[in-house]
Amino acid sequence: MPSCIEPLAAAGTSLWRHRDFRRYLTGQAASVTGSSITQMALPVLAVLHLDASTAQVAWLAFLGQLPPALLALHAGALADRHSKRRQMIAGDLVSATVLATVPVAAALDTLTLAQLMIVAVVQGAASVLHDAAAISLLPSLVDRSLIQRSNSRVGALFAVAATAGSHLGAALTALLGPARALLGDVASYLISAVCTARIQTSEPARVRPETRRLRGEIAEGLRYVRGDDRLWTLTLVNATTSFALGLLNTLWALYLLRALAMSATAFGVVLGFGALGAAAGALTAPALARRYGPGSMMLAALAITPVTPLPLLLASPGLAWQITLGVALFVQLACAGAAGTTQRSIRQIVTTAGMQARMQAVSTWLTSGARPVAALLAGALGTWVGVRPALTAGAFLLLIPLVVLARSPIRALRQMPDPPADSLSTPPADQTSPPAVPSPTRTDDARHERALGGNAS
């Protein structure tokens, strides 16, 4: 079924001149910015204003991470069954509503930790619904030959938006207090909903029996990914990378602030370097893939990544080491941005329209499930053998995705693959069988995973 407004064609057309792509990008960037405000303000609210204990803070973080692990597959199946734009708007409105209850309760002096935990769960579930539809909507907005360029712009802008949101969150928290600072995230959800509602490009037709069970469609998505060597390899790379980085990210901030006595200002500057790296990697990914081939480029990025934690393991207090750590984080996230943008583009290109959301949901489910397990392992190792040995273990774990990709035919991929035959022109009606030839990609999180780590999912 052809679109009322065709996706943006490749020949000599700037993505920035495509209105629907701009609306999509604006809405999602606003969403990432708002999420970073909440990530800054919510812990301050819990710890400083509600006197939350360490265990309660941990539970709050755990409950926020739980919905992606539990609901990603269901959200992907729903997005392939129904309108993706409507699912995105519904997720935005639910998130805005539940988050707005926090400043209202704070103003009435009735806010409790229990309410924050409920908000974390409901908002997490709504974000999963939104993100499953948002990531899979992109291939219907632009021609498949432009998917890599589109993901490059998305990844770069999300990295910048996440950094801007963190700084904005700190400023709003200082000026208004952490509860009222959350109104910035409420506004971001409303902006995202309005931008999504203004997208005019028609979605691919969905042809499904009304009696089809959601469980059957979830199983179909799992079989689809497992049946294509390209999709399965890249999904395993995502999951193993997420696990290793989850272990490292659980402990590295503690190590910098406590063992290396880094100030809060220096820590913020180091994080800023990392965001710039993520943006640079995403922006340069298409050119690097054209010059060296997407397989070689991703393999090189995964080979460099295990080296980047070494300065952290060798560092001692001092300005020189702080600069070195900032450069190392820049390189690490540049590799993540380049590899993540490319692998996501490959997955979107080779997947038929009717399976886009479920394909992405399988990756999100595995990567989201890996992070809480990695956090628990990091805590156990840090307690039993010390923080530095635990960080060393995380660095070694980064070799696993390198081995997975090196043992697959994707390592020799010299150009972006061709789309399925039924996707070469207009967006197709639903098709659920995997590609015939299984030859050789805003985190993103949680919504913040789309900005940084989200490049991996």
Side-chain angles (χ1 to χ4, degrees):
M1 176 179 175
S3 300
C4 296
I5 299 176
E6 292 296 334
L8 178 64
T13 306
S14 170
L15 285 167
W16 304 118
R17 297 177 61 186
H18 183 36
R19 285 181 299 177
D20 280 348
F21 179 74
R22 290 202 311 269
R23 291 163 180 163
Y24 173 87
L25 198 60
T26 301
Q28 299 312 297
S31 183
V32 170
T33 302
S35 295
S36 297
I37 294 174
T38 295
Q39 291 157 28
M40 172 65 67
L42 202 61
V44 175
L45 181 62
V47 174
L48 298 184
H49 291 259
L50 297 177
D51 297 321
S53 66
T54 301
Q56 288 171 328
V57 171
W59 269 106
L60 185 62
F62 173 77
L63 290 172
Q65 294 178 352
L66 195 59
L70 296 179
L71 301 177
L73 294 176
H74 299 78
L78 287 172
D80 278 336
R81 175 185 283 190
H82 303 295
S83 167
K84 292 179 174 61
R85 290 198 299 274
R86 290 179 182 175
Q87 184 166 317
M88 292 166 63
I89 294 169
D92 283 333
L93 295 180
V94 170
S95 291
T97 301
V98 70
L99 196 60
T101 65
V102 175
V104 171
L108 297 175
D109 200 24
T110 59
L111 183 65
T112 64
L113 276 170
Q115 179 179 345
L116 284 187
M117 291 180 180
I118 294 171
V119 168
V121 173
V122 176
Q123 183 186 7
S127 295
V128 171
L129 289 172
H130 174 280
D131 294 347
I135 297 176
S136 58
L137 178 66
L138 181 61
S140 67
L141 298 181
V142 300
D143 187 89
R144 294 206 178 202
S145 63
L146 291 175
I147 282 181
Q148 190 180 24
R149 282 173 54 194
S150 301
N151 279 319
S152 171
R153 272 59 168 183
V154 169
L157 185 58
F158 283 6
V160 174
T163 304
S166 296
H167 293 308
L168 179 59
L172 290 175
T173 299
L175 291 173
L176 305 176
R180 282 179 287 184
L182 297 178
L183 292 173
D185 198 9
V186 173
S188 79
Y189 282 118
L190 298 178
I191 293 172
S192 175
V194 170
C195 290
T196 303
R198 296 186 64 196
I199 293 175
Q200 299 178 12
T201 304
S202 297
E203 297 180 40
R206 290 168 293 276
V207 182
R208 296 197 178 281
E210 294 183 0
T211 58
R212 186 74 178 273
R213 290 189 175 184
L214 197 64
R215 183 183 303 176
E217 296 185 16
I218 292 172
E220 189 176 48
L222 289 167
R223 288 194 301 269
Y224 184 90
V225 172
R226 186 63 184 89
D228 187 304
D229 288 347
R230 298 163 296 184
L231 295 176
W232 184 239
T233 295
L234 294 175
T235 299
L236 289 180
V237 168
N238 288 346
T240 52
T241 301
S242 178
F243 185 85
L245 291 178
L247 194 155
L248 287 168
N249 292 342
T250 300
L251 298 174
W252 79 284
L254 174 67
Y255 187 71
L256 290 178
L257 295 171
R258 184 171 295 174
L260 300 183
M262 185 177 288
S263 68
T265 301
F267 182 66
V269 172
V270 169
L271 291 181
F273 268 98
L276 291 175
L283 284 175
T284 57
L288 291 173
R290 284 194 303 270
R291 180 167 183 176
Y292 301 106
S296 298
M297 186 271 281
M298 288 190 295
L299 197 63
L302 291 177
I304 295 171
T305 302
V307 181
T308 56
L310 291 181
L312 180 65
L313 302 175
L314 301 173
S316 56
L319 178 61
W321 276 112
Q322 291 174 2
I323 295 173
T324 302
L325 292 173
V327 172
L329 187 60
F330 178 95
V331 173
Q332 182 186 95
L333 293 185
C335 291
T341 295
T342 304
Q343 62 82 15
R344 181 186 300 148
S345 299
I346 292 173
R347 289 188 290 120
Q348 290 175 338
I349 288 171
V350 303
T351 300
T352 55
M355 298 296 295
Q356 285 284 344
R358 281 173 288 174
M359 175 277 295
Q360 179 60 39
V362 173
S363 179
T364 301
W365 174 59
L366 289 175
T367 54
S368 299
R371 292 182 200 114
V373 176
L376 292 176
L377 179 60
L381 288 175
T383 302
W384 294 337
V385 301
V387 174
R388 184 175 294 195
L391 291 171
T392 304
F396 276 106
L397 286 174
L398 284 170
L399 293 171
I400 295 177
L402 172 63
V403 173
V404 172
L405 187 64
R407 291 173 58 88
S408 77
I410 295 179
R411 70 184 184 279
L413 192 63
R414 297 298 303 165
Q415 61 185 15
M416 298 301 284
D418 294 327
D422 64 346
S423 302
L424 292 175
S425 53
T426 59
D430 176 50
Q431 176 179 334
T432 56
S433 59
V437 183
S439 58
T441 160
R442 339 175 22 103
T443 62
D444 316 220
D445 104 214
R447 286 156 68 211
H448 67 279
E449 194 68 14
R450 291 178 295 177
L452 300 177
N455 282 320
S457 64

